[in-house]
Amino acid sequence: MQAISSVNGRAYPLGLKNVDTDIIIPAVWLKTISRSGLGKGAFESLRAVPGNVFDDPSFAGAPILIAGANFGCGSSREHAAWAMADLGISAVIAPSFSDIFSGNAFKNGLLAIVLPQEAIDRLMEVAQTDAIHIDLETQTVTTSFQDRFEFEIDPFRKHCLMNGVDEIGLTLKSSDAISAHEQKLSASQPWLTPNRI
């Protein structure tokens, strides 16, 4: 997982409420376990509409998406976070997220920021013409127009995102301590570990 300390750039001003994971990545794209290539199918039904924000050259390569409430609802498909990352999105700002999507986003290095609807409305306006700046260290979203919005984030998630480590990476960092514990356990209670390799 790549470390995130800040995200800067244009933002897709989507703003839609209740965008479910089938809209983020349709089921037809779920035949793969690869994380690459899914960006082509991301928001496929929305991209079929002429004049959509995803195909507007003004927003090409935007690293931020601004969405409406209940973003990522529906099924628990992790492919939704994969598809967004493959599209180049590093952060999503919305009034609320599905819990499962929020967890999948975090586990895949995608920053999910909750802000009140008034802030979303302002960012939607700014996104039409200007870049947005997200600073994870200070937990702020700012614009060149002096807008400043503070957001909350779980300290554990913040630590993992800023250091580019997922749960497996954290476990591997403790491999020496885990091995020492296993050896101690084997020595003190051998009947518990007779078949360990």
Side-chain angles (χ1 to χ4, degrees), residues 1-195:
M1 189 162 82
Q2 189 171 15
I4 298 175
S5 59
S6 65
V7 183
N8 303 294
R10 296 296 299 275
Y12 294 108
L14 182 61
L16 296 177
K17 296 179 181 178
N18 302 313
V19 173
D20 65 33
T21 52
D22 194 51
I23 292 174
I24 298 170
I25 186 71
V28 70
W29 289 87
L30 305 185
K31 299 173 185 171
T32 180
I33 57 170
S34 172
R35 297 173 189 225
S36 62
L38 290 174
K40 291 181 279 186
F43 302 101
E44 188 175 62
S45 62
L46 298 178
R47 292 167 98 171
V49 178
N52 71 84
V53 296
F54 296 104
D55 293 329
D56 184 330
S58 303
F59 305 109
I64 302 167
L65 183 133
I66 303 169
N70 199 27
F71 186 82
C73 57
S75 73
S76 61
R77 63 186 71 164
E78 191 171 8
H79 292 68
W82 296 356
M84 291 178 66
D86 196 53
L87 188 61
I89 296 170
S90 299
V92 186
I93 306 171
S96 61
F97 294 92
S98 154
D99 287 342
I100 294 174
F101 174 82
S102 180
N104 285 338
F106 158 66
K107 290 177 182 181
N108 288 280
L110 185 64
L111 180 57
I113 297 172
V114 174
L115 287 177
Q117 187 61 53
E118 300 77 40
I120 298 298
D121 293 342
R122 174 60 181 153
L123 292 173
M124 287 283 292
E125 183 182 339
V126 171
Q128 298 294 330
T129 56
D130 289 88
I132 293 171
H133 176 75
I134 300 169
D135 187 319
L136 183 53
E137 177 65 38
T138 61
Q139 296 176 211
T140 56
V141 178
T142 57
T143 74
S144 58
F145 301 102
Q146 307 308 312
D147 298 296
R148 180 182 173 90
F149 306 107
E150 295 182 0
F151 62 89
E152 296 296 320
I153 185 169
D154 176 81
F156 173 74
R157 288 186 174 188
K158 179 178 179 178
H159 170 81
C160 290
L161 289 167
M162 291 195 69
N163 291 283
V165 292
D166 57 14
E167 290 144 332
I168 294 171
L170 283 174
T171 303
L172 291 174
K173 284 186 172 189
S174 300
S175 62
D176 290 343
I178 293 168
S179 295
H181 171 77
E182 289 292 322
Q183 289 174 358
K184 182 179 176 183
L185 184 65
S186 292
S188 66
Q189 300 173 352
W191 60 89
L192 293 178
T193 58
N195 295 322

